[in-house]
Coordinates of all heavy atoms in Angstrom, one line a residue:
M22 N 8.0 -6.9 -6.3 CA 6.8 -6.6 -5.5 C 7.3 -5.8 -4.2 O 8.3 -6.2 -3.7 CB 6.1 -7.9 -5.2 CG 5.4 -8.5 -6.4 SD 4.5 -10.0 -5.8 CE 5.7 -11.1 -5.4
P23 N 6.4 -5.0 -3.8 CA 6.8 -4.2 -2.6 C 6.5 -5.1 -1.4 O 5.7 -6.0 -1.4 CB 5.8 -3.0 -2.7 CG 4.6 -3.5 -3.5 CD 5.2 -4.5 -4.5
I24 N 7.1 -4.7 -0.3 CA 6.8 -5.3 1.0 C 5.9 -4.4 1.8 O 6.1 -3.2 1.9 CB 8.1 -5.5 1.7 CG1 9.0 -6.5 1.0 CG2 7.8 -6.0 3.2 CD1 10.3 -6.7 1.6
Y25 N 4.8 -5.0 2.3 CA 3.9 -4.3 3.1 C 3.9 -4.9 4.6 O 4.1 -6.0 4.7 CB 2.4 -4.5 2.6 CG 2.3 -3.8 1.2 CD1 2.2 -4.5 0.1 CD2 2.3 -2.4 1.1 CE1 2.1 -4.0 -1.2 CE2 2.1 -1.8 -0.1 CZ 2.0 -2.6 -1.2 OH 1.9 -2.0 -2.5
E26 N 3.7 -3.9 5.5 CA 3.7 -4.4 6.8 C 2.3 -4.5 7.3 O 1.5 -3.7 7.1 CB 4.4 -3.3 7.7 CG 4.6 -3.8 9.1 CD 5.4 -2.7 9.9 OE1 5.6 -1.6 9.5 OE2 5.9 -3.1 11.0
Y27 N 2.0 -5.6 8.0 CA 0.7 -5.9 8.6 C 0.7 -5.9 10.1 O 1.8 -6.3 10.6 CB 0.2 -7.2 8.0 CG -0.2 -7.1 6.5 CD1 0.8 -7.2 5.5 CD2 -1.5 -7.0 6.1 CE1 0.5 -7.1 4.2 CE2 -1.8 -6.9 4.8 CZ -0.8 -7.0 3.8 OH -1.0 -6.9 2.5
R28 N -0.4 -5.7 10.7 CA -0.6 -5.9 12.1 C -1.7 -6.9 12.3 O -2.8 -6.8 11.7 CB -0.9 -4.5 12.8 CG -0.7 -4.6 14.3 CD -1.0 -3.3 15.0 NE -2.5 -3.1 15.2 CZ -3.1 -3.4 16.3 NH1 -2.4 -3.8 17.3 NH2 -4.3 -3.1 16.5
C29 N -1.4 -7.8 13.2 CA -2.4 -8.8 13.6 C -3.3 -8.2 14.7 O -2.8 -7.8 15.7 CB -1.7 -10.1 14.0 SG -2.9 -11.4 14.6
E30 N -4.6 -8.4 14.4 CA -5.6 -7.9 15.5 C -5.7 -8.8 16.6 O -6.2 -8.5 17.7 CB -7.0 -7.7 14.8 CG -6.9 -6.7 13.7 CD -6.8 -5.3 14.2 OE1 -7.0 -5.1 15.3 OE2 -6.6 -4.4 13.3
S31 N -5.3 -10.1 16.4 CA -5.5 -11.1 17.4 C -4.3 -11.0 18.4 O -4.6 -11.1 19.7 CB -5.5 -12.5 16.8 OG -6.7 -12.6 16.0
C32 N -3.1 -11.0 17.9 CA -2.0 -11.1 18.9 C -1.2 -9.8 18.8 O -0.2 -9.7 19.6 CB -1.0 -12.3 18.5 SG -0.1 -12.0 17.0
A33 N -1.6 -8.8 18.1 CA -1.0 -7.5 18.1 C 0.4 -7.6 17.5 O 1.2 -6.6 17.7 CB -1.0 -6.8 19.4
G34 N 0.7 -8.6 16.8 CA 2.0 -8.7 16.3 C 2.1 -8.1 14.9 O 1.1 -7.9 14.2
K35 N 3.3 -7.7 14.6 CA 3.5 -7.2 13.2 C 4.4 -8.1 12.4 O 5.3 -8.7 12.9 CB 4.2 -5.8 13.4 CG 3.4 -4.7 14.0 CD 4.1 -3.4 14.1 CE 3.3 -2.3 14.7 NZ 4.1 -1.0 14.8
F36 N 4.1 -8.0 11.1 CA 4.9 -8.9 10.2 C 4.8 -8.2 8.8 O 4.0 -7.4 8.5 CB 4.3 -10.3 10.2 CG 2.9 -10.4 9.7 CD1 2.5 -10.7 8.4 CD2 1.9 -10.2 10.6 CE1 1.3 -10.8 8.0 CE2 0.5 -10.3 10.2 CZ 0.2 -10.6 9.0
E37 N 5.8 -8.6 8.0 CA 5.9 -8.1 6.7 C 5.6 -9.1 5.6 O 6.0 -10.3 5.8 CB 7.2 -7.5 6.4 CG 7.6 -6.3 7.3 CD 8.9 -5.8 7.1 OE1 9.8 -6.5 6.6 OE2 9.2 -4.6 7.4
V38 N 4.9 -8.7 4.6 CA 4.5 -9.6 3.5 C 4.9 -9.0 2.2 O 4.7 -7.9 1.9 CB 3.0 -9.9 3.5 CG1 2.6 -10.8 2.4 CG2 2.6 -10.5 4.8
L39 N 5.5 -9.9 1.4 CA 5.8 -9.5 0.0 C 4.7 -9.8 -0.8 O 4.4 -10.9 -1.2 CB 7.1 -10.2 -0.5 CG 7.7 -9.7 -1.7 CD1 8.3 -8.3 -1.6 CD2 8.9 -10.6 -2.1
T40 N 3.9 -8.8 -1.3 CA 2.7 -9.1 -2.1 C 2.5 -8.1 -3.1 O 3.1 -7.0 -3.2 CB 1.5 -9.2 -1.1 OG1 0.4 -9.6 -1.8 CG2 1.2 -7.8 -0.5
R41 N 1.5 -8.3 -4.0 CA 1.2 -7.4 -5.0 C 0.4 -6.2 -4.4 O -0.2 -6.4 -3.4 CB 0.4 -8.1 -6.0 CG 1.1 -9.1 -6.8 CD 0.1 -9.7 -7.9 NE 0.7 -10.7 -8.7 CZ 0.8 -12.1 -8.3 NH1 0.2 -12.4 -7.2 NH2 1.4 -12.9 -9.1
F42 N 0.6 -5.1 -5.2 CA -0.2 -3.9 -4.7 C -1.7 -4.2 -4.7 O -2.4 -3.7 -3.8 CB 0.1 -2.7 -5.7 CG -0.6 -1.5 -5.3 CD1 -0.2 -0.7 -4.3 CD2 -1.8 -1.2 -6.0 CE1 -0.9 0.5 -4.0 CE2 -2.5 0.0 -5.7 CZ -2.0 0.8 -4.7
A43 N -2.2 -4.9 -5.7 CA -3.6 -5.2 -5.7 C -4.1 -6.1 -4.6 O -5.2 -6.1 -4.2 CB -4.0 -5.9 -7.1
E44 N -3.2 -6.8 -3.9 CA -3.6 -7.6 -2.9 C -3.1 -7.1 -1.5 O -3.1 -7.8 -0.5 CB -2.9 -9.0 -3.0 CG -3.4 -9.7 -4.3 CD -2.7 -11.1 -4.5 OE1 -2.0 -11.5 -3.6 OE2 -2.8 -11.6 -5.6
R45 N -2.7 -5.8 -1.6 CA -2.2 -5.2 -0.4 C -3.3 -5.2 0.8 O -3.0 -5.3 1.9 CB -1.8 -3.8 -0.7 CG -1.2 -3.0 0.5 CD -1.2 -1.5 0.3 NE -2.6 -1.0 0.1 CZ -2.8 0.3 0.0 NH1 -1.8 1.2 -0.1 NH2 -4.0 0.7 -0.2
D46 N -4.5 -4.9 0.3 CA -5.7 -4.7 1.3 C -6.2 -6.0 1.7 O -7.2 -6.1 2.5 CB -6.7 -3.8 0.8 CG -6.2 -2.4 0.6 OD1 -5.4 -2.0 1.5 OD2 -6.7 -1.7 -0.3
S47 N -5.8 -7.2 1.1 CA -6.3 -8.4 1.4 C -5.7 -8.9 2.8 O -4.6 -8.5 3.1 CB -6.0 -9.5 0.4 OG -6.5 -9.1 -0.9
A48 N -6.5 -9.6 3.5 CA -6.1 -10.2 4.8 C -5.0 -11.2 4.7 O -5.1 -12.1 3.8 CB -7.2 -10.8 5.6
Q49 N -3.9 -11.0 5.4 CA -2.8 -11.9 5.3 C -2.8 -12.8 6.6 O -3.4 -12.3 7.6 CB -1.4 -11.2 5.3 CG -1.4 -10.3 4.1 CD -1.4 -10.9 2.8 OE1 -0.9 -12.1 2.7 NE2 -1.8 -10.3 1.7
V50 N -2.4 -13.9 6.5 CA -2.3 -14.9 7.7 C -1.1 -14.5 8.6 O 0.0 -14.4 8.1 CB -2.2 -16.3 7.2 CG1 -2.2 -17.3 8.5 CG2 -3.4 -16.7 6.3
C51 N -1.5 -14.3 9.8 CA -0.5 -13.9 10.8 C 0.5 -15.1 11.1 O 0.0 -16.3 11.3 CB -1.1 -13.6 12.1 SG 0.1 -13.3 13.5
P52 N 1.8 -15.0 10.9 CA 2.8 -16.1 11.0 C 2.9 -16.6 12.5 O 3.3 -17.6 12.7 CB 4.1 -15.5 10.5 CG 3.9 -14.0 10.7 CD 2.5 -13.7 10.5
A53 N 2.5 -15.7 13.4 CA 2.6 -16.0 14.8 C 1.4 -16.8 15.3 O 1.6 -17.9 16.0 CB 2.7 -14.7 15.7
C54 N 0.2 -16.4 15.0 CA -1.0 -17.1 15.6 C -1.9 -17.7 14.5 O -3.0 -18.2 14.7 CB -1.7 -16.1 16.4 SG -2.6 -14.8 15.6
E55 N -1.5 -17.4 13.2 CA -2.3 -18.0 12.1 C -3.7 -17.3 12.0 O -4.6 -17.9 11.3 CB -2.4 -19.5 12.1 CG -1.0 -20.1 12.0 CD -1.1 -21.6 11.8 OE1 -2.2 -22.2 12.2 OE2 -0.2 -22.3 11.4
S56 N -3.8 -16.2 12.5 CA -5.1 -15.5 12.4 C -5.2 -14.7 11.1 O -4.1 -14.3 10.6 CB -5.3 -14.5 13.6 OG -6.4 -13.7 13.4
T57 N -6.4 -14.6 10.6 CA -6.5 -13.8 9.3 C -7.0 -12.4 9.7 O -7.4 -11.6 8.8 CB -7.4 -14.5 8.4 OG1 -8.6 -14.8 9.0 CG2 -6.7 -15.8 7.8
K58 N -7.1 -12.1 10.9 CA -7.6 -10.8 11.4 C -6.5 -9.8 11.4 O -6.0 -9.3 12.4 CB -8.3 -10.8 12.7 CG -9.6 -11.7 12.7 CD -10.2 -11.7 14.1 CE -10.6 -10.3 14.6 NZ -11.3 -10.4 15.8
T59 N -6.0 -9.5 10.2 CA -4.8 -8.6 10.1 C -5.2 -7.5 9.1 O -6.1 -7.5 8.3 CB -3.6 -9.4 9.4 OG1 -4.0 -9.9 8.1 CG2 -3.2 -10.6 10.3
R60 N -4.4 -6.4 9.3 CA -4.7 -5.3 8.4 C -3.3 -4.6 8.1 O -2.4 -4.7 8.8 CB -5.6 -4.2 9.0 CG -5.0 -3.8 10.4 CD -6.1 -2.9 11.0 NE -5.5 -1.5 11.4 CZ -6.3 -0.5 11.9 NH1 -7.5 -0.7 12.2 NH2 -5.7 0.7 12.1
V61 N -3.3 -4.0 6.9 CA -2.1 -3.5 6.4 C -1.7 -2.2 7.1 O -2.6 -1.4 7.4 CB -2.2 -3.4 4.9 CG1 -3.2 -2.3 4.5 CG2 -0.7 -3.0 4.3
L62 N -0.4 -2.0 7.3 CA 0.0 -0.7 7.8 C 0.7 0.0 6.7 O 1.7 -0.5 6.1 CB 1.0 -1.0 9.0 CG 0.4 -1.6 10.1 CD1 1.5 -1.9 11.2 CD2 -0.7 -0.8 10.9
V63 N 0.3 1.1 6.3 CA 0.9 1.8 5.2 C 2.1 2.7 5.8 O 1.8 3.6 6.5 CB -0.1 2.8 4.6 CG1 0.5 3.6 3.5 CG2 -1.3 2.0 4.1
S64 N 3.2 2.2 5.5 CA 4.4 2.8 6.1 C 5.1 3.7 5.1 O 5.8 4.7 5.4 CB 5.3 1.8 6.7 OG 5.6 0.8 5.6
S65 N 5.0 3.4 3.8 CA 5.8 4.1 2.8 C 5.3 5.5 2.6 O 6.1 6.4 2.4 CB 5.8 3.3 1.5 OG 6.4 2.1 1.6
F66 N 4.0 5.7 2.7 CA 3.4 7.0 2.4 C 2.5 7.4 3.6 O 1.9 6.5 4.2 CB 2.6 7.0 1.1 CG 3.5 6.6 0.0 CD1 3.4 5.3 -0.5 CD2 4.3 7.5 -0.6 CE1 4.3 4.9 -1.6 CE2 5.1 7.1 -1.7 CZ 5.0 5.8 -2.2
A67 N 2.3 8.7 3.7 CA 1.4 9.1 4.8 C 0.0 9.2 4.3 O -0.5 10.3 4.0 CB 1.9 10.5 5.4
F68 N -0.6 8.1 4.1 CA -2.0 8.1 3.6 C -3.1 8.1 4.6 O -4.2 8.1 4.3 CB -2.2 6.8 2.7 CG -1.5 6.9 1.3 CD1 -1.3 5.8 0.5 CD2 -1.0 8.2 0.8 CE1 -0.7 5.9 -0.7 CE2 -0.5 8.3 -0.3 CZ -0.3 7.2 -1.1
A69 N -2.7 7.9 5.8 CA -3.6 7.7 6.9 C -4.5 8.9 7.2 O -5.5 8.7 7.9 CB -2.9 7.2 8.1
S70 N -4.1 10.1 6.8 CA -4.9 11.3 7.2 C -6.2 11.5 6.5 O -7.1 12.0 7.1 CB -4.0 12.5 7.1 OG -3.7 12.6 5.7
G71 N -6.3 11.0 5.3 CA -7.5 11.3 4.5 C -8.6 10.6 4.8 O -9.7 11.0 5.0
G72 N -8.5 9.2 4.9 CA -9.5 8.3 5.2 C -10.1 7.7 4.0 O -10.7 6.6 4.0
D73 N -10.0 8.3 2.9 CA -10.5 7.8 1.6 C -9.4 7.2 0.9 O -8.7 7.7 0.1 CB -11.1 8.9 0.8 CG -11.8 8.3 -0.5 OD1 -11.8 7.1 -0.7 OD2 -12.4 9.1 -1.2
T74 N -9.2 5.9 1.2 CA -8.0 5.2 0.7 C -8.1 4.7 -0.8 O -7.2 4.5 -1.5 CB -7.7 3.9 1.5 OG1 -8.8 3.2 1.6 CG2 -7.3 4.4 2.9
S75 N -9.4 4.7 -1.2 CA -9.6 4.2 -2.6 C -9.1 5.2 -3.6 O -8.4 4.9 -4.6 CB -11.1 3.9 -2.8 OG -11.9 5.1 -2.6
S76 N -9.4 6.5 -3.4 CA -8.9 7.5 -4.2 C -7.5 7.7 -4.2 O -6.8 8.0 -5.2 CB -9.6 8.8 -3.9 OG -9.3 9.3 -2.7
V77 N -6.9 7.5 -3.0 CA -5.5 7.6 -2.9 C -4.8 6.5 -3.7 O -3.7 6.7 -4.3 CB -5.1 7.5 -1.3 CG1 -3.5 7.4 -1.2 CG2 -5.6 8.7 -0.6
S78 N -5.3 5.2 -3.6 CA -4.7 4.2 -4.3 C -4.7 4.5 -5.8 O -3.8 4.2 -6.6 CB -5.5 2.9 -4.1 OG -5.5 2.6 -2.7
D79 N -5.8 5.1 -6.3 CA -5.9 5.4 -7.7 C -4.8 6.4 -8.1 O -4.2 6.4 -9.1 CB -7.3 6.0 -8.1 CG -8.4 4.9 -8.0 OD1 -8.0 3.7 -8.2 OD2 -9.5 5.3 -7.9
F80 N -4.7 7.4 -7.2 CA -3.7 8.4 -7.4 C -2.3 7.8 -7.5 O -1.5 8.2 -8.3 CB -3.8 9.4 -6.2 CG -2.8 10.6 -6.5 CD1 -2.9 11.6 -7.3 CD2 -1.6 10.5 -5.7 CE1 -2.0 12.6 -7.4 CE2 -0.7 11.5 -5.7 CZ -0.9 12.6 -6.6
A81 N -2.0 6.9 -6.6 CA -0.7 6.4 -6.5 C -0.4 5.5 -7.8 O 0.7 5.5 -8.3 CB -0.6 5.4 -5.3
S82 N -1.4 4.7 -8.2 CA -1.1 3.9 -9.4 C -0.9 4.8 -10.7 O -0.2 4.4 -11.5 CB -2.3 3.0 -9.6 OG -3.5 3.6 -9.9
E83 N -1.6 5.9 -10.7 CA -1.5 6.8 -11.9 C -0.1 7.4 -11.9 O 0.5 7.5 -13.0 CB -2.6 7.8 -11.9 CG -3.9 7.2 -12.2 CD -5.1 8.3 -12.1 OE1 -4.7 9.4 -11.9 OE2 -6.2 7.9 -12.3
T84 N 0.3 7.9 -10.8 CA 1.5 8.7 -10.8 C 2.8 7.8 -10.6 O 3.9 8.3 -10.9 CB 1.5 9.8 -9.6 OG1 1.2 9.1 -8.4 CG2 0.4 10.8 -10.0
G85 N 2.7 6.7 -10.0 CA 3.8 5.9 -9.6 C 4.3 4.9 -10.6 O 5.3 4.3 -10.5
G86 N 3.5 4.7 -11.7 CA 3.7 3.6 -12.6 C 4.8 3.9 -13.7 O 5.7 3.2 -13.9
G87 N 4.5 5.0 -14.3 CA 5.3 5.3 -15.5 C 6.7 5.8 -15.3 O 7.6 5.3 -15.8
G88 N 6.8 6.9 -14.5 CA 8.1 7.4 -14.2 C 8.2 8.7 -15.0 O 8.8 9.7 -14.6
G89 N 7.6 8.8 -16.2 CA 7.5 10.0 -17.0 C 6.5 10.9 -16.6 O 5.6 10.5 -15.8
C90 N 6.4 12.1 -17.1 CA 5.4 13.0 -16.8 C 4.2 12.8 -17.8 O 3.9 11.7 -18.3 CB 5.9 14.5 -16.8 SG 4.7 15.5 -16.0
C91 N 3.5 13.9 -18.2 CA 2.3 13.7 -18.9 C 2.6 13.8 -20.5 O 1.8 13.6 -21.3 CB 1.4 14.9 -18.5 SG 2.1 16.5 -18.8
G92 N 3.8 14.1 -20.8 CA 4.1 14.2 -22.2 C 3.7 15.5 -22.9 O 3.5 15.5 -24.0
G93 N 3.5 16.5 -22.1 CA 3.0 17.8 -22.6 C 1.5 18.1 -22.4 O 1.2 19.1 -22.7
A94 N 0.8 17.1 -22.1 CA -0.6 17.3 -21.8 C -1.0 18.3 -20.8 O -1.9 19.0 -20.8 CB -1.3 16.0 -21.5
C95 N -0.1 18.4 -19.7 CA -0.3 19.3 -18.6 C 0.1 20.7 -18.9 O -0.3 21.7 -18.2 CB 0.3 18.8 -17.4 SG 2.1 18.9 -17.4
G96 N 0.9 20.9 -20.0 CA 1.3 22.3 -20.3 C 2.6 22.6 -19.8 O 3.4 23.3 -20.3
S97 N 2.9 22.2 -18.5 CA 4.1 22.6 -17.8 C 5.4 22.0 -18.3 O 6.4 22.6 -18.5 CB 3.9 22.5 -16.4 OG 3.8 21.1 -16.0
C98 N 5.2 20.7 -18.6 CA 6.5 20.0 -19.0 C 6.7 20.1 -20.5 O 7.8 19.9 -21.0 CB 6.4 18.5 -18.6 SG 4.9 17.7 -19.2
G99 N 5.6 20.5 -21.3 CA 5.8 20.7 -22.7 C 6.7 21.9 -23.0 O 7.5 21.9 -24.0
S100 N 6.7 22.9 -22.2 CA 7.4 24.1 -22.4 C 8.8 24.0 -21.7 O 9.6 25.0 -21.8 CB 6.7 25.2 -21.8 OG 6.4 25.2 -20.5
S101 N 9.0 22.9 -21.0 CA 10.3 22.8 -20.2 C 11.5 22.5 -21.1 O 11.3 21.8 -22.2 CB 10.2 21.7 -19.3 OG 11.4 21.4 -18.6
P102 N 12.6 23.3 -20.9 CA 13.8 23.0 -21.8 C 14.3 21.6 -21.6 O 15.1 21.1 -22.4 CB 14.7 24.1 -21.4 CG 14.3 24.4 -19.9 CD 12.8 24.2 -19.9
N103 N 14.0 20.9 -20.5 CA 14.4 19.6 -20.3 C 13.6 18.6 -21.1 O 13.8 17.5 -21.3 CB 14.3 19.2 -18.8 CG 15.0 18.0 -18.5 OD1 15.9 17.5 -19.1 ND2 14.7 17.4 -17.3
Ligands
LIG204 ZN1 -1.2 -13.0 15.3

């Protein structure tokens, strides 16, 4: 499971949580003040510019899961000598 960094809105503290991708956007309990007013900080990718995080999440799950390409469906990798 990946590690996500969260920021606490109550004490402005930062902490890291090892959680599932599906639970990334869920509020985590701040270890310092036990507040649940926390939000995830996306540090691995520069996703913050778009604003539409839902579509970005879908994109990430589609492209980051398999490791392989499209298997020829896109046309570019089908003609590759590799
Ligand atoms: Zn806190």
